[in-house]
Amino acid sequence: MNAIFISPQFPHTYWNFCDRLQKNGVTVLGIGDSPYSELESNLKNALTEYYRVDSLEDYNQVFKAVAFFSFKYGKIDWLESNNEYWLAQDAQLRTDFNITTGVQNGQIDFIKEKHLMKVKYFEHNIPTARQHRVSTLKAAQEFIAEVEFPVIVKPDVGVGAADTYKLDNNDDLTSFYDHLPDVPYVMEEFIEGDICSYDAILDSRCEPLFESMTVWPPSIMEIVHKKLDLSYYTAAEVPEALKLLGRKTVKAFSVKSRFVHLEFFRLKNAKKNLGAAGDFVALEVNMRPAGGYTPDMMNFAHATDVYQIWADMVSADKLIHPVHDIHHWCAYASRRDCYTYVHSHQEIMEHYGERIVMQEEMPMMNWPQMGRWMYTAKTDSLQDTLDFIKYVQAKL
């Protein structure tokens, strides 16, 4: 079996996907824009061959790289980046090279454009916030008359909280239209609650081989804009209601043979036409693994190896290696260099000892969202999780 992995060097933990494929007997071929000499040794050992392009943004260069591998190794059975940024390019390459094991070019719009995601939600009776495609100020005012302030505006195509804003009143609305972005935007009614992701690895029948839930802060947008400390956690188990809604959603989108990250609100209060407090409401779908070190947090929480489960799905369409039924919590807490904290780095490391499973300085490009210094610990309960976060982030 021949598999091409696009940008295997970034994020740097993605060498694990290549490593597990290689251990499953797959010929793993990498295409990236980093010099071979700069690749981590773990990644070099996992790749049969690496093709460097000057820029992954240049489709012609990447096309030629895939064509070279096709000529040298024969039919390409799999092509993937597991990266939101390259989803559309991945789909185009699969279409151009008749690689039928993933999303094709004609299917990409419904998993990239937020207004089309809403179409799927509504077609399949999946509860979701009302949305308006940004056009005229008058149309926006009519939409807000229905849903009331506040509302959220965000790019129709985009990742994370980049260029996302909360509009609280007419002054905010007018200001937004005075500086209207030149890319398509959507406007949504505001939902108050935690964001809970349904993370799953799905086989070719849309059936989950692995399921997990991570609970995120209500607004990554505010963390970025207000320079707040980020904290989130992977839960020991997935609530049955989220499992059912997650499985219904992947079938609605006909998601097959993928690692997915689906976001839902867990309502803080009852909301008309959406549900009672504690119910889940669809936010958006992401057809790739959760960002940052979240896959590793899933491993710690569930005593498993999601990279191996994904590789088993790719190479055999089923679990080859056993999955353990062990349940912990895993918490991420970050700190910024613009604040002074109660507890020193040394105190954190001594207090939590072996429960700290990861600790490092994050890459600079991740500082706005994920903080500069991160601490990740395996915990035994929700309260233990919250106590860890409070200890790390307590400020003077």
Side-chain angles (χ1 to χ4, degrees):
M1 181 179 192
N2 298 319
I4 291 177
F5 204 101
I6 305 292
S7 187
Q9 80 283 6
F10 183 83
H12 78 86
T13 55
Y14 274 22
W15 70 266
N16 287 284
F17 287 116
C18 299
D19 174 77
R20 306 312 189 274
L21 282 177
Q22 189 267 341
K23 288 178 178 175
N24 276 14
V26 176
T27 298
V28 188
L29 308 165
I31 300 174
D33 52 10
S34 296
Y36 181 77
S37 61
E38 295 180 6
L39 302 185
E40 296 183 32
S41 59
N42 288 325
L43 177 57
K44 289 180 179 178
N45 293 335
L47 296 177
T48 299
E49 189 168 351
Y50 178 73
Y51 190 114
R52 181 179 182 253
V53 295
D54 294 326
S55 171
L56 286 170
E57 302 274 2
D58 186 336
Y59 186 77
N60 287 334
Q61 289 190 48
V62 181
F63 181 95
K64 289 177 181 178
V66 177
F68 170 79
F69 282 147
S70 298
F71 174 79
K72 184 172 181 178
Y73 294 94
K75 173 74 173 134
I76 302 301
D77 303 290
W78 203 277
L79 185 145
E80 187 58 80
S81 68
N82 277 339
N83 193 314
E84 182 85 20
Y85 192 78
W86 304 116
L87 284 182
Q89 181 171 269
D90 291 349
Q92 185 66 61
L93 288 166
R94 292 192 200 101
T95 302
D96 287 347
F97 286 91
N98 193 31
I99 303 169
T100 59
T101 49
V103 176
Q104 303 295 299
N105 197 40
Q107 303 167 316
I108 194 70
D109 289 349
F110 280 94
I111 62 177
K112 287 287 290 181
E113 299 179 25
K114 295 179 177 65
H115 80 277
L116 291 179
M117 293 179 194
K118 293 292 183 181
V119 172
K120 290 292 185 183
Y121 290 142
F122 287 124
E123 282 181 352
H124 294 268
N125 297 314
I126 297 168
T128 187
R130 287 168 288 181
Q131 186 186 88
H132 160 72
R133 295 182 73 186
V134 169
S135 55
T136 65
L137 175 60
K138 182 175 183 296
Q141 291 169 333
E142 292 173 353
F143 175 72
I144 292 170
E146 294 179 16
V147 302
E148 300 181 344
F149 282 113
V151 293
I152 300 294
V153 288
K154 54 189 177 182
D156 194 16
V157 177
V159 184
D163 301 316
T164 297
Y165 308 99
K166 180 182 176 185
L167 310 182
D168 290 307
N169 49 51
N170 281 313
D171 287 342
D172 289 347
L173 180 66
T174 301
S175 178
F176 173 71
Y177 271 87
D178 284 343
H179 305 89
L180 194 63
D182 58 1
V183 297
Y185 259 66
V186 294
M187 179 180 293
E188 284 190 356
E189 65 178 315
F190 179 75
I191 304 293
E192 190 173 9
D194 290 325
I195 297 175
C196 300
S197 63
Y198 171 81
D199 300 282
I201 299 172
L202 307 161
D203 66 15
S204 64
R205 297 167 295 280
C206 298
E207 297 297 329
L209 301 176
F210 168 82
E211 296 172 296
S212 181
M213 178 180 80
T214 296
V215 179
W216 308 80
S219 177
I220 297 292
M221 172 186 65
E222 290 194 348
I223 285 172
V224 173
H225 294 165
K226 297 181 180 180
K227 295 185 177 180
L228 306 177
D229 287 330
L230 172 65
S231 64
Y232 66 98
Y233 60 86
T234 297
E237 298 186 76
V238 185
E240 193 62 26
L242 184 59
K243 280 186 181 180
L244 293 174
L245 199 54
R247 293 171 185 177
K248 183 177 182 179
T249 302
V250 296
K251 285 181 167 50
F253 282 81
S254 300
V255 186
K256 302 174 183 178
S257 305
R258 292 201 68 79
F259 199 147
V260 300
H261 171 67
L262 313 184
E263 296 178 351
F264 296 85
F265 286 109
R266 183 166 54 192
L267 295 178
K268 183 177 181 180
N269 303 299
K271 192 166 181 68
K272 186 179 179 181
N273 299 322
L274 287 180
D279 285 351
F280 294 100
V281 173
L283 173 55
E284 61 184 59
V285 299
N286 300 282
M287 300 307 178
R288 43 79 181 171
Y293 291 113
T294 313
D296 303 276
M297 292 171 62
M298 296 175 199
N299 286 343
F300 292 120
H302 307 299
T304 193
D305 185 342
V306 296
Y307 303 106
Q308 185 63 64
I309 296 171
W310 179 84
D312 288 356
M313 177 272 292
V314 170
S315 58
D317 199 26
K318 64 180 181 181
L319 290 173
I320 301 174
H321 298 78
V323 176
H324 303 294
D325 188 26
I326 300 173
H327 306 286
H328 293 282
W329 301 68
C330 190
Y332 176 104
S334 72
R335 310 210 306 189
R336 297 181 182 271
D337 53 10
C338 58
Y339 301 124
T340 302
Y341 296 89
V342 172
H343 302 291
S344 68
H345 166 75
Q346 184 175 350
E347 287 173 331
I348 295 171
M349 300 305 290
E350 289 178 353
H351 186 77
Y352 281 94
E354 293 183 354
R355 288 186 286 173
I356 298 287
V357 291
M358 290 188 291
Q359 194 285 311
E360 67 175 49
E361 181 180 15
M362 297 295 288
M364 186 180 294
M365 66 178 296
N366 296 129
W367 291 359
Q369 301 88 4
M370 304 198 70
R372 180 168 182 177
W373 306 99
M374 75 87 154
Y375 298 83
T376 304
K378 189 162 66 174
T379 53
D380 295 324
S381 66
L382 176 57
Q383 188 58 55
D384 191 20
T385 298
L386 299 177
D387 289 344
F388 165 74
I389 293 169
K390 182 178 179 180
Y391 188 91
V392 171
Q393 298 182 340
K395 297 180 181 67
L396 289 173

